[in-house]
Each structure stands twice: as C-alpha cells, then as structure tokens.
Amino acid sequence: TIGGSDTVEPVVHAAVTELSRLPHDARGFVLLADGAMLRTAPGADGEGGPISEARAGVGIVGEAAVSGGSELVEDSATDSRATAPERAGGSLVVAALRAGDVTLGVLGATATGGPFRSSDLKVVTAIAALAGPAIGRALGVKPGPGIADDSAGGDATRSTGS
C-alpha cells in the first residue's frame, strides 16, 4: 500500500505503480526536492517517461511544486509554460507531495495516448494525499517552509528540521 511503509522507496514504487494505471498509456513519476531541483525519487524505477527532473518554479511541474497545488494539462505541447520534457509527455497531470505544510516534491503522470480528464486529476491528488505524509514520515520531515520558487535562480529546499 502507498502509506504502509516507513521507508521512501516502497511508497514511491506503490505511487508510481498506481499512477501508471491511469488511462492512455500513462507513465507515472515522483520527483522529490533536492536543493533547487526536483529529482526522480528512489523507488521510481526510471519508467516515468520524459519527466525525470524539474526546477522549482519553472514549467508546469515546477510551478505545481512551488504552489503546493495540482494541475491538469490536456496537451502540454501547446502550453506556453511547458518545458521540453513536459511537451514531450503529451497530456500531463501533476500534484504536489505535501507532509503537513511542507511540500516535498510532486507526483504525476504523462500520457501520449490521449488526454487526461478531471477524474484522472482526482486520482492523482488522492495518491499524493496518501504518499506525501508517508514520504514525509520516512524522511523525518518537520513542519517548515518546504519548496521555494527557483524561477529567479534561488535555492529551493526541503525542510527536514535539521
């Protein structure tokens, strides 16, 4: 289960497995904050498609990380905010991974076989709501500011209470 582990890898693996069950040849991904970057989480097995990293505050995925929200883009190739990897993904759905008031990263999926719909966004936000607190517990995250906007070149960090 998504929340049934005290280590990061099994939670991430379960989340990516569930995300990859979305329609239209979906490929799930989980990115965790690493300084100003969001990088593929341990346990994601490298099959998340074209999105393997993002910069906080940049692109659709990076904006979701900074806002702590979620987004559905039916055709990312036509979205002016999309980065090159996001455009290559086709349809995109993404939600922030949160542990309390701390944003740890994002999870989502891309699909080249058709557009995601609002029901898919609901599934992704539900997966994020389960995975975020579990990953936070595994990382020992304490309440704090979470991810900072790096669109101007600043430093985004994950608050671990250290």
Side-chain angles (χ1 to χ4, degrees), residues 2 19 22 64 68-72 93-98 107-109 117-133:
I2 291 175
L19 291 163
L22 290 168
S70 59
E71 181 132 8
L72 163 67
V93 63
V94 62
L97 277 170
R98 297 184 55 83
L107 60 70
R117 300 292 182 214
S118 60
S119 59
D120 302 316
L121 179 61
K122 290 177 184 177
V123 170
V124 170
T125 57
I127 293 169
L130 294 170

Side-chain angles (χ1 to χ4, degrees), residues 5 9 11 14-15 31 38 51 56 58 70 83 103 109 115 134 146:
S5 178
E9 290 85 354
V11 175
L31 306 177
L38 300 159
I51 300 175
V58 178
S70 59
T83 62
T103 301

